[in-house]
Every structure is written in C-alpha cells, then in structure tokens.
Amino acid sequence: LGLRLDRGRLRFAPCTPATWLSFEVAYRYGATVFDIRFRRLPAQRSALCVLLDGKEQSEPVIDLIDDGAAHRVDVEMP
C-alpha cells in the first residue's frame, strides 16, 4: 500500500493497481487513530498530495503524534 514508518513519521508512496480508484486504512499510533483515505484523481495533479486534517503537507509525510484524537489523512494520487 506504500506506507512506511520512519522515526515517528509516516511516509506515503502508494503503488497500487490503476484499477484501484480508492481505498481506506485505519492506522493506530498509540491512542491516536489516523483515518487514511486514498483516492486516485483524474489528471488534475502530477504529484502525490497528502492532507492532514485538511491541511496540505509540504511532502508526502505526516508526523505521528499520540494525542488521543482522531485525525483524517487524505492521499490524492495522480
């Protein structure tokens, strides 16, 4: 699915069949749940885009913080 844990950060590099238009993963980090939704978008973007709680990340990575809250991650695949 292209998820990699790297020193308290979760890196995204999905490598899925082109027929997979979307899928979801619930990722638990301590008491915190990250609801991760992957979507393949029509050629709107040429690069992977990751949003954490609606805020676009500068790279396809999120910092994992165990704050006990639920977080939403949207991964938009070209």
Side-chain angles (χ1 to χ4, degrees):
L1 296 179
L3 300 174
R4 184 170 49 110
L5 182 60
D6 182 19
R7 289 180 252 151
R9 302 177 90 196
L10 193 59
R11 296 191 174 275
F12 298 90
C15 182
T16 58
T19 56
W20 288 24
L21 301 180
S22 66
F23 61 97
E24 296 182 20
V25 174
Y27 187 87
R28 181 177 296 277
Y29 183 74
T32 302
V33 175
F34 292 87
D35 179 26
I36 306 170
R37 298 176 185 179
F38 293 81
R39 284 187 310 154
R40 189 173 308 279
L41 299 178
Q44 295 172 343
R45 294 182 184 258
S46 60
L48 188 70
C49 178
V50 176
L51 296 96
L52 174 61
D53 296 327
K55 183 178 176 190
E56 187 171 347
Q57 305 300 290
S58 60
E59 54 184 312
V61 175
I62 60 168
D63 292 320
L64 295 172
I65 299 172
D66 188 8
D67 62 4
H71 295 280
R72 179 172 171 168
V73 180
D74 290 293
V75 180
E76 298 175 348
M77 304 178 293

